Amino acid sequence: MAHEEDDGRTGGDGVVRRRPLRERHVEETVEIAVPVRTAYNQWTQFKTFPRFSAVVQGVEQVRPTVTAWTIGYGPLRHRFSVEILEQDPDAYLAWRGLEQHPTHEGEVEFRPTESGGTAITVRMFLRPPGPAKALIRSSRVTELTARLVRGELVRFQHFIEGLGQEGGAWRGTIRNGRVQHDTPEPPRSRVAQWPVG
Amino acid sequence: MQNPPGEEPETSLSVTPPKKWAAGVPAVVHALEYSLEQTSPRKTGVDLLTMNQVGGIDCPGCAWADPAPGRRHRNEYCENGAKHINDEATTRRITADFFREHSVSDLAARSDMWLNQQGRLTEPMFKRPGSDHYEPIGWNDALGVLAQELKGLDSPDEAVFYTSGRASNEAAFVFQLFARALGTNNLPDCSNMCHESSGFALNETLGVGKGTVSLDDLHHADLIFLVGQNPGSNHPRQLSALEEAKRNGGRIVAVNPLPEAGLRRFKNPQKPRGVVGRGTQIADRFLHIKPGGDLALFQALNRLLLEAEDARPGTVLDHDFIDAHTSGFEEFARHARTVDWDDVRAATGLTREEIEKVRDEVLGSERVVVCWAMGITQHKHGVPTIREIVNFLMLRGNLGRAGTGVCPVRGHSNVQGDRTMGIWEQMPDSFLDALQEEFGFDPPRPHGLDSVKSIKAMLEGRVKVFLALAGNFVRAAPDSDVTEKAMPSCRLTAHISTKLNRSHTVCGDTALILPTLGRTERDVQADGEQFVTVENSMSEVHTSQGRLEPASRMLLSEVAILCRLARLSVDGVGDIPWAKFEGDYGTIRDSISRIVPGFHDFNARVTRPGGFQLPNPVNEGVFRTETGKARFTCNDPVVPRAPEGHLLLQTLRSHDQWNTVPYTNNDRYRGIHGSRHVVLVNPADLSALGLAQGDRVDLVSVWEDGTERRAENFEVVPYPAAKGSAAAYYPETNVLVPLDSVADMSNQPTSKGLVVRLEPVGDRVRDVRTTGAGRPR
């Protein structure tokens, strides 16, 4: 298991941001031949993950910070909810499972490469409940997980490189699980304001 | 299917110990029994299997959200929903013969239950001035009478347009448009009597008058408060969400003057553990609070949280959230530290130790949701109580994050949507401007009348026409004697209804019954088969489409009735395509999409499986309040007190009841069978009052106007109600709620915390039977 050396990260604006992931079982990086903005924007379109993923069968976007994922292989299905804790456009996203004791946490980092592309790094920390807890101590299991994550990243690479441009974007910022707004009234907040009895 | 009762059923009271769990196999049995009494097995099957399913009928029983498509049970309904839907789908019919047989005076002497049991209304009926009988009338003539009366008013403000939460978004939108095209904002609704305090307090503190949570939040909360609500009877599908929360490791604190069965344990009839097992414990901690003590409880909790922060600075409060997103914290904190423990004890009946244990639960929880219903909103201090709940949540940043938030639990299936569609007497200029731009007329700007003000205006002779879109206003409104005096002062009353109720019998000199399609029925218009839409408690907007053939070929849909009436009354006002609206409800939704924020691409989005969720600004990090931030508030403490020899009464529903409609005289979770004229009182209070089980008493409410309000001949039942309190069923006890007794700021009638005395009426009833373990505790 690897450990992070610090729990903060300085953004382009000089602000040190929370970086909740302290430990990791998996770290995988791919380089993608599209600009950071394109890669990041496409990544935020979680509902499109089934289009390239081998394991994601469906994603519901409950709201910007909450998504429900259905993963599976063959006839097997597993649904779980995920909370996004931190999100910075074109840079960073951290999540955790929405259980009382999260079974998984992770982060995705987007960095521009010298060639004008994007390096995407995914790090994950797994805490499965019950007997599966023992499995995660096995290096074979973590290797298998790492291979799975790498495969998914490569499929995302082919997907966005093939499309050439993103199919949508969510450019908001999330801090400590809460959406931060930088304009007085983001479009999604324009709903009926009058009281409901 | 059984025939309707010819005479009032004679039953006597029997009392059994209150149940310690809700639902289970008995819920299935009771639901099927009632359904098959009302209709055929085939209709029951069609209704139940399409209920709350994608493309099916939205259950009119309550506004609880449905699980996501693909995650719904094949049987996605509860006992009460099944009863309600089949109560509407009944094969019993009311025809012209019925009205020939029964005069209006005769019907006015009947019980709510008897009237409902007669079946579906099938053709328009008309009571001429001076007549004591309704008689058949054609649709054109019926609507012509109403239109003529409306056009003849000296002012449009002499008309009042009442909406019940059953009405769809489309019907509600057309209804408010019609009223405003006529020239009035007199749009009272049933919201005025249920969650007005919630809307007011949330709008003031958070900038949006709706709840902020989704089912996922509840499922993943660490701690859920159920305050002043009874999910077992009033929103049984909430129990499934609570069960899931418990299985995910969440904990629940229930706060209620009555230890309701659904707060204790839930046996989910769709799970083996609910059929043969012990089910799921719901409340981990139950606070047996006095009615109206909730404000003091949350003030005490807030003080304890501040003191915990003092003891361990930086570990208790969410300073990031408080600093960045709220205003008024310092003033609030100073105020909260002055909370007096003697007052808290007097208001709540709880010990400091009990409250400290709850504080510890809060400190151990990262994600907290607070749910509430009428046990909060119907108090005089309902608004301050909800503001204090918001304070409580904000202290630890329990807003805008997953698994956190406010959850006002609404009871009527589209009560939230109707308000979103503009059914409110105080709609802001932004909405009225959008109406003007869309339809080319200038909507009236002065605020109109809410429910209480409408009754007062009737009494003063200022209302000539009352038109109700569904509902049973006379029975839902407070101060029954006063309301029943007010309603006949109207020249004309008209009700768009599916079934008979008391509001048809306490009516204007001229009266109309305009029978309409129910949710269960196919709605075919010129452009083909239609669906309608609704918005649930969690702001999800979705379709509802009935599958059964209409109860009568003579029925018109609510939209059709309103559009035809509008063409007769306000044709030429602006450019409103009433005929198009009637023929194709999609055109109504097109207009809504241009007028109501959040409804863009309405037609396209609502037909997706499960519809769409309206965003909530709070969850987007936006607080559209006066300060642009979530607002901490300072709320004066309230200690509800009853003078010596008096009790604090709460009116409530029985389990076998939907709003003003009792299905039977039973309330099996509370162990009451055969009578609704009962008052539930703590045994210690009964001893102090010199009363015993079976005594007959009049309930007399005490109010500052000195008027004696009396609910006669109720039977006393010892019950584990909080000491100093009593409970009795509404609408029978609405007579005790003074019209002027309203919640501060929201003007919502106070059906809880009424000061009453119990006056013995003499003869001791000796035939009360107790069974099981004997006498209730």
Side-chain angles (χ1 to χ4, degrees):
Chain A
M1 187 188 307
H3 292 263
E4 292 290 329
E5 289 174 0
D6 59 26
D7 63 355
R9 181 174 60 83
T10 305
D13 53 5
V15 176
V16 178
R17 300 204 168 90
R18 259 168 48 87
R19 193 166 183 171
L21 192 69
R22 306 290 178 92
E23 303 170 284
R24 59 181 179 271
H25 291 114
V26 174
E27 177 168 341
E28 290 296 328
T29 301
V30 294
E31 287 197 15
I32 296 177
V34 296
V36 164
R37 190 180 175 92
T38 303
Y40 173 85
N41 284 350
Q42 185 59 50
W43 191 276
T44 63
Q45 303 306 291
F46 302 117
K47 288 181 185 175
T48 66
F49 271 49
R51 287 178 63 185
F52 65 84
S53 168
V55 293
V56 178
Q57 305 296 325
V59 181
E60 298 157 43
Q61 179 97 44
V62 179
R63 51 176 183 261
T65 59
V66 182
T67 44
W69 296 67
T70 303
I71 59 172
Y73 191 77
L76 301 175
R77 291 289 181 275
H78 175 58
R79 184 183 186 272
F80 57 92
S81 296
V82 164
E83 175 185 17
I84 298 176
L85 294 170
E86 303 286 323
Q87 190 164 349
D88 284 310
D90 303 335
Y92 183 72
L93 180 154
W95 83 84
R96 70 174 173 183
L98 196 49
E99 305 98 343
Q100 273 221 323
H101 304 289
T103 55
H104 58 98
E105 299 171 61
E107 62 183 16
V108 191
E109 205 169 50
F110 299 82
R111 294 186 313 278
T113 61
E114 286 179 0
S115 59
T118 308
I120 301 181
T121 300
V122 172
R123 301 183 188 92
M124 286 176 71
F125 178 60
L126 306 169
R127 280 188 293 195
K133 211 179 288 181
L135 287 177
I136 207 68
R137 286 196 283 270
S138 150
S139 59
R140 284 188 172 217
V141 172
T142 51
E143 278 167 24
L144 195 67
T145 310
R147 205 180 308 157
L148 185 71
V149 170
R150 180 159 191 85
E152 291 290 87
L153 277 172
V154 169
R155 278 184 278 276
F156 178 72
Q157 175 193 3
H158 293 155
F159 176 63
I160 187 60
E161 286 178 353
L163 292 180
Q165 55 181 289
E166 67 270 35
W170 189 76
R171 304 286 303 168
T173 302
I174 295 171
R175 290 274 173 276
N176 198 18
R178 197 176 280 115
V179 176
Q180 312 291 303
H181 65 95
D182 48 10
T183 55
E185 194 172 71
R188 274 177 58 87
S189 75
R190 288 186 199 131
V191 293
Q193 193 184 3
W194 44 91
V196 176
Chain B
M1 197 274 285
Q2 293 178 2
N3 291 327
E7 295 302 325
E8 297 279 355
E10 285 185 20
T11 55
S12 60
L13 173 67
S14 70
V15 180
T16 56
K19 296 282 186 201
K20 293 179 179 169
W21 50 269
V25 174
V28 178
V29 172
H30 283 274
L32 287 177
E33 268 178 7
Y34 189 79
S35 298
L36 295 173
E37 267 178 30
Q38 296 295 321
T39 186
S40 65
R42 189 193 73 82
K43 278 187 166 183
T44 297
V46 170
D47 280 345
L48 296 185
L49 292 175
T50 58
M51 201 159 152
N52 298 323
Q53 302 295 338
V54 172
I57 311 160
D58 177 63
C59 176
C62 79
W64 193 249
D66 304 317
R71 298 202 71 219
R72 297 179 190 178
H73 290 288
R74 192 74 192 91
N75 295 289
E76 188 61 52
Y77 52 84
C78 66
E79 173 192 350
N80 289 2
K83 285 178 188 165
H84 183 60
I85 205 83
N86 286 310
D87 191 67
E88 180 192 290
T90 182
T91 44
R92 298 173 184 175
R93 298 287 180 266
I94 294 178
T95 62
D97 287 342
F98 173 88
F99 287 105
R100 266 192 287 276
E101 191 181 333
H102 297 283
S103 66
V104 176
S105 315
D106 173 15
L107 296 174
R110 303 289 183 163
S111 70
D112 299 299
M113 190 169 75
W114 187 91
L115 292 170
N116 176 64
Q117 290 289 336
Q118 300 310 306
R120 289 288 299 277
L121 296 158
T122 53
E123 59 182 308
M125 302 302 297
F126 177 47
K127 188 184 91 63
R128 295 176 190 279
S131 170
D132 195 27
H133 275 272
Y134 277 102
E135 58 190 84
I137 185 172
W139 274 110
N140 287 347
D141 290 341
L143 297 176
V145 167
L146 184 48
Q148 195 175 3
E149 195 70 48
L150 288 170
K151 287 198 288 191
L153 294 173
D154 292 336
S155 157
D157 288 330
E158 291 178 332
V160 163
F161 298 89
Y162 173 74
T163 309
S164 153
R166 180 175 63 79
S168 64
N169 286 332
E170 290 77 4
F173 182 82
V174 167
F175 196 47
Q176 63 81 30
L177 180 63
F178 169 56
R180 292 188 165 110
L182 188 74
T184 185
N185 281 313
N186 289 347
L187 285 156
D189 64 352
C190 64
S191 295
N192 296 149
M193 291 172 276
C194 60
H195 267 290
E196 200 64 62
S197 297
S198 301
F200 189 95
L202 294 177
N203 200 49
E204 181 187 8
T205 55
L206 300 179
V208 63
K210 300 182 181 183
T212 63
V213 304
S214 66
L215 282 179
D216 276 294
D217 292 312
L218 275 177
H219 294 161
H220 295 102
D222 297 334
L223 183 64
I224 300 170
F225 282 76
L226 306 175
V227 194
Q229 66 155 137
N230 177 17
S233 291
N234 298 336
H235 342 271
R237 286 198 303 142
Q238 185 184 9
L239 291 175
S240 300
L242 297 175
E243 181 182 46
E244 186 160 344
K246 292 299 298 276
R247 299 192 76 77
N248 286 338
R251 289 176 64 78
I252 293 175
V253 173
V255 185
N256 204 299
L258 300 178
E260 305 285 15
L263 299 175
R264 303 174 82 166
R265 187 167 284 278
F266 171 45
K267 292 192 177 184
N268 188 338
Q270 310 217 35
K271 301 276 169 67
R273 61 176 173 270
V275 175
V276 294
R278 294 187 66 238
T280 302
Q281 181 188 348
I282 296 297
D284 298 284
R285 204 171 285 284
F286 175 67
L287 299 184
H288 203 180
I289 198 167
K290 286 183 175 179
D294 313 274
L295 171 59
L297 169 66
F298 281 97
Q299 287 182 318
L301 279 171
N302 289 341
R303 176 177 167 167
L304 289 172
L305 290 175
L306 290 166
E307 289 173 352
E309 173 73 10
D310 294 343
R312 288 175 289 140
T315 63
V316 173
L317 305 187
D318 186 339
H319 289 289
D320 287 349
F321 174 73
I322 292 170
D323 294 346
H325 298 288
T326 72
S327 63
F329 172 73
E330 293 301 332
E331 194 184 348
F332 156 76
R334 274 195 301 277
H335 185 266
R337 290 176 198 280
T338 65
V339 169
D340 181 85
W341 282 105
D342 289 338
D343 282 351
V344 171
R345 173 77 177 154
T348 63
L350 304 171
T351 64
R352 180 168 176 163
E353 189 187 10
E354 283 178 288
I355 299 173
E356 284 175 345
K357 283 182 177 162
V358 176
R359 172 208 54 196
D360 293 343
E361 297 266 5
V362 176
L363 292 177
S365 305
E366 199 182 331
R367 297 187 282 246
V368 180
V369 170
V370 181
C371 306
W372 70 85
M374 259 127 281
I376 297 295
T377 63
Q378 289 184 331
H379 282 284
K380 186 172 191 310
H381 50 290
V383 171
T385 304
I386 296 161
R387 291 197 300 216
E388 200 64 34
I389 289 172
V390 173
N391 289 339
F392 165 73
L393 289 168
M394 291 197 298
L395 281 177
R396 286 174 55 79
N398 282 305
L399 278 172
R401 285 189 294 120
T404 69
V406 292
C407 181
V409 183
R410 299 176 194 280
H412 218 330
S413 61
N414 196 38
V415 66
Q416 185 160 316
D418 290 347
R419 187 58 71 86
T420 305
M421 291 297 116
I423 301 286
W424 192 36
E425 76 279 0
Q426 303 176 40
M427 286 304 283
D429 282 343
S430 58
F431 178 86
L432 300 174
D433 290 345
L435 278 187
Q436 184 170 15
E437 191 176 337
E438 174 77 7
F439 297 114
F441 75 98
D442 189 11
R445 304 288 163 154
H447 292 173
L449 301 173
D450 64 9
S451 292
V452 166
K453 288 176 182 168
S454 293
I455 296 167
K456 289 180 178 177
M458 288 179 196
L459 289 169
E460 292 164 6
R462 292 190 284 119
V463 178
K464 302 289 190 300
V465 176
F466 176 87
L467 172 59
L469 177 59
N472 183 4
F473 183 75
V474 163
R475 292 301 269 165
D479 222 342
S480 307
D481 287 350
V482 172
T483 300
E484 295 202 1
K485 202 170 106 188
M487 188 61 84
S489 71
C490 299
R491 266 204 314 251
L492 184 151
T493 57
H495 290 84
I496 300 171
S497 306
T498 54
K499 298 188 84 176
L500 193 60
N501 64 47
R502 187 163 177 79
S503 295
H504 303 124
T505 71
V506 180
C507 53
D509 197 21
T510 304
L512 286 162
I513 298 174
L514 307 172
T516 190
L517 294 174
R519 283 261 178 97
T520 55
E521 291 164 335
R522 295 178 67 206
D523 182 352
V524 181
Q525 302 295 338
D527 202 54
E529 190 147 351
Q530 306 293 314
F531 63 83
V532 294
T533 62
V534 293
E535 176 187 340
N536 64 34
S537 242
M538 295 177 178
S539 302
E540 292 162 339
V541 182
H542 61 87
T543 64
S544 178
Q545 189 166 17
R547 303 289 178 194
L548 300 179
E549 289 304 314
S552 156
R553 289 178 191 280
M554 292 288 286
L555 298 183
L556 291 177
S557 72
E558 290 169 334
V559 169
I561 293 169
L562 294 170
C563 288
R564 290 178 185 205
L565 176 62
R567 286 162 71 187
L568 294 171
S569 317
V570 293
D571 211 20
V573 176
D575 183 18
I576 306 174
W578 299 110
K580 263 190 182 176
F581 280 174
E582 178 182 340
D584 178 3
Y585 300 173
T587 59
I588 304 173
R589 289 187 286 273
D590 282 340
S591 286
I592 292 170
S593 71
R594 291 186 287 269
I595 290 169
V596 183
F599 280 79
H600 59 277
D601 301 328
F602 189 5
N603 271 311
R605 291 195 296 153
V606 82
T607 49
R608 294 177 193 157
F612 62 94
Q613 181 158 37
L614 293 168
N616 188 301
V618 172
N619 294 330
E620 310 286 328
V622 177
F623 297 96
R624 301 199 306 181
T625 62
E626 279 179 14
T627 61
K629 294 185 171 186
R631 294 175 65 189
F632 277 99
T633 53
C634 299
N635 301 295
D636 291 335
V638 175
V639 182
R641 293 184 198 277
E644 183 72 26
H646 291 70
L647 300 169
L648 294 173
L649 177 79
Q650 62 164 325
T651 70
L652 40 70
R653 277 192 203 177
S654 76
H655 183 65
D656 251 9
Q657 176 176 353
W658 182 77
N659 287 353
T660 58
V661 181
Y663 297 136
T664 71
N665 283 329
N666 303 327
D667 186 4
R668 75 173 193 279
Y669 288 166
R670 299 193 184 104
I672 306 296
H673 311 273
S675 176
R676 293 174 53 80
H677 278 70
V678 295
V679 56
L680 313 179
V681 187
N682 185 289
D685 290 323
L686 283 183
S687 297
L689 294 169
L691 294 168
Q693 176 167 323
D695 285 354
R696 286 195 176 271
V697 296
D698 287 350
L699 310 184
V700 182
S701 67
V702 177
W703 179 244
E704 58 197 35
D705 64 359
T707 301
E708 183 180 278
R709 294 175 176 82
R710 185 176 289 267
E712 292 182 346
N713 206 12
F714 279 60
E715 208 160 321
V716 168
V717 174
Y719 197 83
K723 203 160 174 302
S725 74
Y729 300 124
Y730 96 102
E732 289 85 345
T733 48
N734 279 359
V735 67
L736 300 171
V737 185
L739 190 60
D740 285 326
S741 178
V742 292
D744 296 335
M745 293 161 276
S746 68
N747 213 36
Q748 176 170 347
T750 59
S751 299
K752 305 284 192 289
L754 297 163
V755 175
V756 297
R757 62 176 183 270
L758 311 186
E759 289 189 356
V761 291
D763 293 342
R764 181 78 174 265
V765 175
R766 305 217 174 267
D767 63 347
V768 173
R769 300 182 299 278
T770 56
T771 58
R775 290 167 186 278
R777 287 179 23 231

